[in-house]
Amino acid sequence: MAVEELIRTGGTLYNRYIDDWKKDGGKVIGYTCSYAPEEILIAAGFLPVRLNATGSTETNKADVYMPKFHCLFSKHLLDQGLSKAFDFMDGVVFVNTCDQLRRMYDVWIKLIKFPYQTIMVVPYSYDKEDFEWYLENEVKKLRDDLEKAYDVKITDKALADAINVCNETRDLQAKLYDFRGGAEPMINGADTHKIILAGTSMPKKKYNELLKESLDELEKRDPITDYRARILIGGSVIDQPEVIRVIEDAGGLVVTDVLCTGTRWIMDKVEVNEDPLYAIAKRYYDHQPCPRMTFVYERKRDFVLDMAKKYDVDGAIFFKIAFCDHHSGDNPLYKEDLEDIGVPALLLDRDYRITDIGRFTTRIEAFFEKLGK
């Protein structure tokens, strides 16, 4: 069944679709953030794969180069890179998501060698001049650099085709979210998240094909009824659905999220424009902002509140990976704003990996008791 196939694929770092792509002579380009423009990579003929540290159990190698109080997500990525877990890739596109990841990149480029690797600079504020600088000096430069590095031509037609396939992906993923978050949910949060993650590590056309089949299969399912509370989750990157599984094993049902590996990645389509490169740049610059973006808290807050209302949640849980500066600032504010509209929220700090399930389960169950669920 297509649903099970996507769930399996979304739980792995390397999968058979990547393997088939490589065997056919295709190149794989890694990327680190939802601000990396996949359409440009696809238009160049590459398979974009989002870097995650699935399977990582320690940071011993990274600890040699990174300070103790450094973002654990970045350290796990570096450790995986040093352990050659990403050696199937032919290049990597980083983004200056935060200062922690930016500092990790400085270490990466000295120790880990790929035929091509770069870091895109996305401005931290919204401004017409900032956007024009970003378009000219980062987006167009990425296109030009890829053409030179791999001897390819990224045409407007190829960009337009990539826009269409990625927009189709976003439409299908939105329908998946409706199956998860409707009045009668057809799929749980952990499996939904794996299906979304599968879209970051396989060819988009094949992914869309399987996702269409999955939606047909889900439509025939009986709804899920054995849960205590409808939950919204947010906070630091979640690329290992075990975090969600802990909530659902405790009796909750994650019906929506405000994650960069969830709604903030799949929402906001690229507008069909006479200049496809401009349209791509506009989408990635203006899409639902990460906590990295400054002077737009009201927009971020309104998005969280809208998701809570749209999916009729009983409560919200925000996770923060240890030493994550951005979410340290936003999560407590979201908690206050949600509670102002009658939605209780819980803040949890975690390692990149979930190693203390008992502690999380106890706190989550206590939270459900507070909700009266």
Side-chain angles (χ1 to χ4, degrees):
M1 294 176 69
V3 171
E4 282 72 19
E5 176 63 15
L6 288 178
I7 290 171
R8 280 193 298 272
T9 302
T12 61
L13 175 62
Y14 188 84
N15 59 63
R16 67 186 183 93
Y17 300 101
I18 298 174
D19 196 49
D20 289 344
W21 184 272
K22 297 284 290 182
K23 288 177 178 176
D24 287 342
K27 295 189 182 301
V28 175
I29 301 293
Y31 66 97
T32 59
C33 174
S34 59
Y35 279 86
E38 291 181 89
E39 288 85 350
I40 296 176
L41 304 178
I42 293 171
F46 306 140
L47 171 60
V49 173
R50 185 164 179 163
L51 269 67
N52 65 67
T54 298
S56 178
T57 59
E58 59 185 31
T59 59
N60 290 346
K61 294 183 176 68
D63 289 339
V64 176
Y65 305 99
M66 306 300 293
K68 182 177 181 180
F69 301 108
H70 194 89
C71 163
L72 294 176
F73 172 64
S74 298
K75 289 178 78 171
H76 275 274
L77 284 186
L78 178 61
D79 203 275
Q80 288 287 79
L82 293 169
S83 301
K84 302 187 182 304
F86 302 127
D87 277 10
F88 64 90
M89 296 181 178
D90 300 282
V92 183
V93 176
F94 287 81
V95 178
N96 67 326
T97 309
C98 60
D99 191 55
Q100 307 249 29
L101 194 61
R102 178 66 183 83
R103 300 280 73 77
M104 187 272 278
Y105 174 74
D106 291 336
V107 177
W108 180 291
I109 59 174
K110 292 181 182 299
L111 301 175
I112 304 170
K113 303 301 180 183
F114 283 95
Y116 175 83
Q117 50 191 7
T118 189
I119 186 164
M120 291 189 70
V121 175
V122 180
Y124 285 94
S125 60
Y126 291 105
D127 180 88
K128 184 175 184 293
E129 290 184 1
D130 288 344
F131 171 73
E132 290 174 351
W133 178 91
Y134 166 68
L135 173 61
E136 292 296 326
N137 294 281
E138 296 299 323
V139 177
K140 290 184 178 179
K141 181 177 183 296
L142 177 66
R143 178 200 59 190
D144 295 344
D145 287 352
L146 289 172
E147 288 182 333
K148 292 176 184 176
Y150 293 98
D151 193 24
V152 296
K153 184 64 177 175
I154 302 174
T155 65
D156 283 354
K157 182 182 184 308
L159 288 168
D161 290 344
I163 288 171
N164 289 334
V165 74
C166 288
N167 280 347
E168 181 184 17
T169 297
R170 295 174 183 121
D171 284 337
L172 293 169
Q173 290 173 327
K175 292 177 183 177
L176 176 66
Y177 266 56
D178 289 340
F179 276 117
R180 176 178 73 167
E184 296 185 328
M186 300 297 187
I187 184 170
N188 64 40
D191 287 345
T192 299
H193 204 64
K194 284 187 177 180
I195 292 174
I196 296 298
L197 291 177
T200 68
S201 63
M202 60 186 296
K204 284 289 191 292
K205 288 183 179 180
K206 181 60 179 179
Y207 176 72
N208 290 350
E209 176 187 316
L210 287 172
L211 189 47
K212 287 177 187 175
E213 293 178 26
S214 296
L215 294 174
D216 290 339
E217 293 170 8
L218 290 175
E219 198 164 17
K220 300 170 186 175
R221 282 188 175 183
D222 293 329
I224 299 170
T225 57
D226 57 339
Y227 58 89
R228 298 170 63 181
R230 295 170 62 91
I231 300 296
L232 172 149
I233 61 169
S236 302
V237 59
I238 295 179
D239 55 11
Q240 300 191 56
E242 287 70 22
V243 177
I244 301 173
R245 186 71 67 192
V246 173
I247 297 172
E248 297 188 326
D249 285 347
L253 186 67
V254 174
V255 294
T256 192
D257 65 69
V258 288
L259 296 166
C260 68
T261 44
T263 51
R264 286 194 285 106
W265 179 60
I266 72 173
M267 293 181 69
D268 302 313
K269 295 192 294 184
V270 177
E271 293 185 9
V272 177
N273 189 286
E274 290 183 1
D275 182 350
L277 200 64
Y278 175 91
I280 290 168
K282 192 70 173 169
R283 185 267 171 188
Y284 282 89
Y285 184 71
D286 284 345
H287 84 298
Q288 185 57 44
C290 165
R292 76 185 295 281
M293 301 302 288
T294 57
F295 308 115
V296 287
Y297 177 73
E298 290 78 10
R299 181 182 171 191
K300 293 182 286 185
R301 174 204 62 201
D302 291 348
F303 177 63
V304 173
L305 299 183
D306 287 347
M307 289 295 101
K309 293 172 185 176
K310 178 179 179 179
Y311 291 99
D312 191 26
V313 304
D314 299 303
I317 299 176
F318 291 91
F319 292 95
K320 177 181 74 68
I321 293 177
F323 315 119
C324 177
D325 294 331
H326 288 318
H327 290 286
S328 293
D330 276 13
N331 286 0
L333 297 176
Y334 293 150
K335 181 178 188 295
E336 291 182 8
D337 291 325
L338 282 166
E339 291 179 344
D340 283 345
I341 65 168
V343 178
L346 174 67
L347 305 182
L348 293 173
D349 288 359
R350 68 178 180 91
D351 192 343
Y352 174 69
R353 297 176 57 243
I354 294 295
T355 55
D356 47 356
I357 292 176
R359 176 175 70 88
F360 281 109
T361 300
T362 299
R363 296 211 41 203
I364 291 167
E365 288 178 342
F367 179 59
F368 291 164
E369 292 295 330
K370 178 183 175 180
L371 297 178
K373 299 293 181 177

